[in-house]
Amino acid sequence: MKRPLYIAGSGAVTPAGLSAPQTLAAIRAGLSAFEEMVLNEPLGATQIVARIRAHSRLRRTDGQWLVNMAARAIGEALRSGTRASEATAILLTPPESFRDHPAYGDIAPADFLMAVISATGQKFHAASRATDGGAAASIGLLERALDMMEQQGVEQVLLGGVDSLVNDTDFARLRQAGRLKGADNAQGLVPGEAAAFVRLTRSPERKAHVHAAIHGVGLAQEKDSVLSERYSQGGALLGALRDAVNGSGPSEPDIDFVVSNGNGERYSGWEQLIARPRFYRTRREILPTAYPAMTIGDIGAASGALVLMLAADSFLKDYAPGKTAVCELASENGLRAAAVMVCMTRR
């Protein structure tokens, strides 16, 4: 990146909390939002999920539910600062198009961003965009966020995503692929749902002593995705990590801990097991790693911003195991991303 980006605020609605502070506190405490859900298909079967408890009127359709989640998280992130919404751009990652998410039966993908903006009741900068690609795509948009603030008159960017794997369509495809966690599959994912956004600025705000700054970003495409018939050899994740530290910022020996959207699947575990020893060559007693999915399940496209949010919060609240973090993100379609974040202090 040409210059650092700062995480100045956040907003979230997840199974662990209806705000960013609630969600982060639950993850920090190691709580679990998992529960058993009775399915319609096959009738009477149960599935472990992480579901947001909400009034039925908010879930009248799948599309309306995602829009309501996104609007709530965006509103919270916007209120964390004082800049006007008209000077604020939204970079949104909705559910990936290949999944045929039931929300798109209610709202066409091309109309999704405008539906979210309309639900907020605010006017946002015309540069706002929605991007397909899942969790890793959010990290890939960090460079664009910086360009928008430097060249298009945007004062701040709300970057994030919204998704729900708690629906019959995703249940069916994940079950067919043997990817769901259950009594017969300990190494499966727990479907979750969430919306999460971080507020990005070009410089630190106010007179706070501690700031979370993003210094480097890497992006790569894995040919052997979880949707293929082969296990990943970690090439794309390794490439993303190397690109993230290929600059004037922190390098591999400086990294103190990792925040990952790993979801407990066998595929995810093996990929990390192969890629990390090839990247982390400096001797460490341990490499502390945070997995938010242990609390809120796999939240798909929303996990990109959530991982950034958790890393930043650990710096601001002084519970991070060091001053430099790497955020690792993987999307189902094979996109891999990494971002280096640093705890910065000023007098």
Side-chain angles (χ1 to χ4, degrees):
M1 295 176 65
K2 294 177 292 185
R3 55 179 294 175
L5 273 176
Y6 294 85
I7 296 182
S10 60
V13 52
T14 75
L18 300 182
S19 68
Q22 290 177 5
T23 296
L24 293 166
I27 294 172
R28 181 181 179 185
L31 303 182
S32 172
F34 296 174
E35 63 177 285
E36 280 197 343
M37 177 180 176
V38 179
L39 305 180
N40 295 323
E41 181 62 37
L43 185 62
T46 60
Q47 173 60 48
I48 301 172
V49 301
R51 181 172 50 173
I52 298 171
R53 296 187 178 276
H55 196 282
S56 59
R57 71 173 183 271
L58 299 174
R59 291 182 179 266
R60 287 173 181 165
T61 67
D62 290 284
Q64 182 188 40
W65 175 233
L66 292 192
V67 166
N68 287 335
M69 282 197 293
R72 182 185 180 105
I74 287 171
E76 182 187 358
L78 185 64
R79 291 191 300 272
S80 68
T82 58
R83 290 182 171 91
S85 62
E86 290 84 355
T88 304
I90 296 174
L91 290 178
L92 169 69
T93 50
E96 299 98 314
S97 57
F98 78 86
R99 287 165 47 195
D100 193 26
H101 197 283
Y104 295 144
D106 309 316
I107 305 171
D111 300 327
F112 192 82
L113 176 62
M114 289 309 301
V116 170
I117 291 176
S118 177
T120 67
Q122 305 278 351
K123 292 183 178 180
F124 288 89
H125 197 282
S128 299
R129 294 289 184 271
T131 301
D132 197 4
S138 290
I139 306 302
L141 293 172
L142 288 168
E143 294 273 12
R144 179 184 292 186
L146 182 58
D147 288 341
M148 291 166 67
M149 286 186 276
E150 291 184 336
Q151 302 176 15
Q152 296 181 261
V154 174
E155 294 183 8
Q156 63 181 8
V157 172
L158 303 183
L159 179 145
V162 61
D163 205 344
S164 175
L165 277 72
V166 186
N167 63 79
D168 292 340
T169 302
D170 280 313
F171 286 162
R173 71 180 184 87
L174 294 170
R175 184 185 307 111
Q176 184 176 11
R179 297 175 55 196
L180 289 174
K181 182 177 179 61
D184 58 347
N185 184 20
Q187 293 180 306
L189 67 86
V190 174
E193 56 186 6
F197 287 82
V198 291
R199 186 167 60 85
L200 302 172
T201 60
R202 285 197 298 166
S203 58
E205 285 191 341
R206 297 184 289 273
K207 297 181 179 180
H209 179 62
V210 178
H211 301 278
I214 302 169
H215 277 262
V217 175
L219 203 66
Q221 182 67 41
E222 175 59 61
K223 64 179 181 178
D224 296 322
S225 75
V226 71
L227 305 175
S228 71
E229 295 182 354
R230 291 165 49 90
Y231 277 99
S232 166
Q233 299 302 301
L237 178 57
L238 177 62
L241 288 166
R242 286 175 172 170
D243 286 347
V245 298
N246 185 24
S248 58
S251 58
E252 179 271 324
D254 300 315
I255 296 170
D256 298 302
F257 67 104
V258 176
V259 186
S260 168
N261 76 328
N263 61 7
E265 280 192 87
R266 182 179 292 105
Y267 172 95
S268 174
W270 283 9
E271 179 178 56
Q272 294 170 8
L273 184 65
I274 295 171
R276 285 180 179 170
R278 295 160 66 189
F279 174 72
Y280 296 102
R281 306 307 295 268
T282 304
R283 185 181 181 279
R284 295 168 170 85
E285 290 295 332
I286 59 170
L287 180 63
T289 305
Y291 294 101
M294 294 175 67
T295 292
I296 57 177
D298 189 331
I299 57 172
S303 59
L306 186 78
V307 164
L308 293 175
M309 185 188 311
L310 179 57
D313 185 71
S314 71
F315 292 142
L316 302 179
K317 301 289 177 58
D318 196 27
Y319 61 90
K323 298 295 184 182
T324 305
V326 161
C327 298
E328 296 179 0
L329 276 302
S331 295
E332 272 196 81
N333 64 1
L335 192 63
R336 301 291 182 265
V340 178
M341 192 179 300
V342 176
C343 178
M344 300 185 66
T345 58
R346 64 179 184 180
R347 296 177 181 177

